[in-house]
Amino acid sequence: MERYELATLTVNLGSAIKAGENAAEFCKSGEAGGNFLGCWVTEIGKLNQIFVLRGFQTAAEADAERRRTLLHSNPFHSADLMTGLTLESMIPFPDLPPVEPGAFGPIYEFRTYVLKHGGIAPTLEGWAEKLPARTAMSKLLLAMYPVDGSPRITHIWPWASLEERARIRAESVKVGAWPPKSAVWVSPDMTSTIALPHAVSPLT
């Protein structure tokens, strides 16, 4: 995949299930571009949000689908359910395998770090050095940086449980597998959200 899109739908209380179903229909309709890869409902962090992940073979395909979404009279078939919508067009870190549907969770952590200016290139280098040891301990679904907006990275980690997450994260630091030296480029502006796969999600 050359591009990914991470859409965040902020929805009305009690409408997450319906909004997720609608989003899947929108992403899989005959006029849609790209691949519908995942749909999650936030559980820890900011609530009443749906994350939708799509993958695109080319930047042009991603741009065309972005235009379709923005010009659509009912984006994600959920205009009446949403109070907010954010679309992030992202480039995957080099040499990562493409995201494929599968069962890797059932808990997913979405982490976003805003970087100091100039920090994307050294972050890519630092991650390349450390990822083999780190991903030997637990799977990384995807790490990516944005086409536009503030310099930042978003990475998605599936976990069997919150207990496994805490144990492996602590162990990775203890054995020196993480963090990369490029962590000095991370600003204090960072978020972590735990989300659960929606029933319609190809990633579970």
Side-chain angles (χ1 to χ4, degrees):
M1 297 290 181
E2 185 175 329
R3 289 285 190 277
Y4 289 91
E5 180 190 81
L6 183 61
T8 302
L9 289 64
T10 303
V11 300
N12 295 320
L13 180 65
S15 63
I17 300 301
K18 181 59 176 175
E21 293 170 348
N22 292 350
E25 293 175 359
F26 181 84
C27 294
K28 295 190 291 185
S29 68
E31 59 186 4
N35 297 323
F36 174 55
L37 297 173
C39 181
W40 297 265
V41 180
T42 57
E43 178 69 16
I44 299 175
K46 189 171 183 180
L47 301 179
N48 300 310
Q49 290 191 326
I50 304 289
F51 295 149
V52 177
L53 181 68
R54 294 191 277 182
F56 303 91
Q57 295 297 330
T58 66
E61 183 185 31
D63 290 343
E65 183 61 14
R66 168 69 66 88
R67 287 193 295 273
R68 182 181 84 92
T69 302
L70 292 174
L71 295 174
H72 204 283
S73 61
N74 188 19
F76 293 98
H77 294 167
S78 295
D80 59 332
L81 303 178
M82 293 190 297
T83 62
L85 173 62
T86 300
L87 303 173
E88 297 179 272
S89 185
M90 311 288 278
I91 300 171
F93 280 26
D95 301 322
L96 291 182
V99 174
E100 300 286 351
F104 307 117
I107 293 169
Y108 285 74
E109 181 182 18
F110 292 72
R111 299 180 71 88
T112 295
Y113 300 156
V114 175
L115 303 178
K116 300 171 185 176
H117 293 290
I120 290 181
T123 295
L124 296 178
E125 293 176 5
W127 276 59
E129 178 186 6
K130 288 287 191 176
L131 266 184
R134 178 60 186 83
T135 54
M137 302 179 72
S138 69
K139 180 178 177 60
L140 169 68
L141 182 72
L142 181 61
M144 48 193 177
Y145 60 96
V147 171
D148 50 23
S150 60
R152 63 193 185 278
I153 60 171
T154 294
H155 35 122
I156 307 172
W157 301 83
W159 300 102
S161 66
L162 291 177
E163 292 78 12
E164 180 196 64
R165 171 188 175 274
R167 177 180 60 80
I168 292 179
R169 281 176 57 83
E171 182 67 15
S172 70
V173 174
K174 181 179 178 181
V175 302
W178 208 250
K181 295 177 182 178
S182 56
V184 297
W185 288 91
V186 174
S187 80
D189 187 0
M190 57 183 71
T191 61
S192 174
T193 302
I194 298 296
L196 308 181
H198 191 289
V200 300
S201 180
L203 284 160
T204 59

